[in-house]
Amino acid sequence: MSKIIAITNQKGGVGKTTTSAALLTALHQRGAHVLGIDLDPQGSLGFCLGLDIENCATIYDVMRGDKSIEEVITETECGDILPSNILLSGAELEFNRPGREFLLKTHLNEVDREYDFIIIDTPPALNVLTVNAYVASDSLIIPMAPEILSLLGVSQIRETIETVRRHYNSRLCVLGILLNKFNPRLNLNREVLELSEQIAEQLDSKVFEAKIHASVSVAEAPAHGESVISYAPRSKPTADFEALVDELWGAEFPQSKDG
């Protein structure tokens, strides 16, 4: 049975897709069988990993029942991907029948035994797609930028998590808050770290020891159809993401000899 983790924050620009792509790549390089699911209608995860998202079947086709999940899963050098594109933006209106919160979970039941990890990249909103991700997942990772508005987004997630736990998925937990674009020399970054630790306590969670430092390589990698892990293997963000994997699953998937 796979570990299913949603990468979530209703605030945009906090590094959800960067985190999803990096975790998929790092785990894949360590020998794990991984599946990445893009639930963002912008299709950023598939695009960042080199897929032609405008000319392929997507998670939208699966949720509509037009294609099986096996037909849509695409192999990449970073593991398997279930891509998305702008067609998914109509989900809130189109998927309105009873039980719509379980659409993703139902389809994942068909393949989850084939993977060690399933990583879900969620949209920057608390909508039916985000709820589907929470219902299907065992746990959440919450990336945030060291900004006050990013903190606000994290605090607003709490109510949605509690609703999902109460009605749909009692086992859902928060693995931790991940600080992206972090610079410990800046006062604001240190202040946000303190505040994020308070919010993590409210979520019965923690702020990860691993923090992802800002670097131009993170911005450059998507243009090359790669995650930062494969694009800039010796960069500081790559070392940071490897440290995050070690913190979470290093005992099960230690660093490869080449890593």
Side-chain angles (χ1 to χ4, degrees):
M1 188 70 71
S2 58
K3 296 179 177 70
I4 305 178
I5 304 108
I7 313 300
T8 184
N9 190 328
Q10 73 174 53
K11 178 80 169 57
V14 298
K16 291 189 294 294
T17 300
T18 296
T19 301
S20 299
L23 289 178
L24 287 166
T25 305
L27 287 164
H28 179 69
Q29 289 181 352
R30 296 181 187 211
H33 294 116
V34 297
L35 170 64
I37 298 176
D38 195 347
L39 274 190
D40 187 345
Q42 296 178 76
S44 298
L45 181 61
F47 176 81
C48 289
L49 296 179
L51 298 184
D52 181 3
I53 61 171
E54 300 306 324
N55 295 290
C56 66
T58 69
I59 183 63
Y60 175 72
D61 299 297
V62 175
M63 296 178 81
R64 276 175 54 92
D66 294 337
K67 290 184 178 292
S68 70
I69 192 168
E70 292 92 343
E71 290 179 279
V72 178
I73 289 174
T74 303
E75 292 184 14
T76 77
E77 294 183 357
C78 304
D80 290 351
I81 302 294
L82 192 55
S84 172
N85 62 26
I86 195 64
L87 293 175
L88 192 58
S89 60
E92 194 73 35
L93 295 176
E94 184 169 355
F95 303 139
N96 56 13
R97 59 186 182 274
R100 67 180 187 159
E101 297 86 359
F102 295 90
L103 280 171
L104 180 61
K105 178 177 175 58
T106 299
H107 291 292
L108 283 185
N109 287 341
E110 301 172 23
V111 298
D112 65 346
R113 295 184 182 276
E114 300 175 21
Y115 297 98
D116 298 305
F117 294 91
I118 297 175
I119 307 292
I120 306 173
D121 188 19
T122 62
L126 297 177
N127 58 19
V128 68
L129 295 172
T130 305
V131 171
N132 262 265
Y134 289 12
V135 172
S137 296
D138 308 304
S139 53
L140 309 176
I141 291 174
I142 304 176
M144 58 170 286
E147 305 164 355
I148 297 301
L149 289 178
S150 184
L151 270 174
L152 181 62
V154 173
S155 64
Q156 291 171 338
I157 287 174
R158 181 181 176 185
E159 183 177 345
T160 302
I161 294 172
E162 291 176 350
T163 298
V164 169
R165 283 175 177 161
R166 189 163 55 247
H167 296 290
Y168 307 116
N169 180 7
S170 60
R171 73 183 187 282
L172 184 67
C173 69
V174 180
L175 291 176
I177 294 174
L178 176 66
L179 286 173
N180 277 318
K181 308 175 186 177
F182 189 70
N183 185 343
R185 293 186 297 248
L186 299 179
N187 287 335
L188 178 59
N189 284 224
R190 295 195 296 270
E191 291 169 5
V192 168
L193 173 57
E194 292 179 10
L195 292 170
S196 62
E197 288 171 343
Q198 295 173 21
I199 292 175
E201 277 188 40
Q202 298 171 13
L203 295 169
D204 297 319
S205 188
K206 65 178 182 177
V207 177
F208 290 117
E209 290 294 327
K211 296 168 181 62
I212 315 303
H213 290 75
S215 170
V216 67
S217 59
V218 173
E220 291 175 346
H224 296 267
E226 297 185 61
S227 77
V228 68
I229 300 280
S230 56
Y231 173 72
R234 301 186 183 279
S235 67
K236 180 59 176 170
T238 290
D240 296 336
F241 278 117
E242 294 287 4
L244 175 63
V245 175
D246 284 337
E247 186 175 342
L248 285 167
W249 307 295
E252 187 173 359
F253 289 95
Q255 272 278 26
S256 66
K257 293 180 181 179
D258 297 331

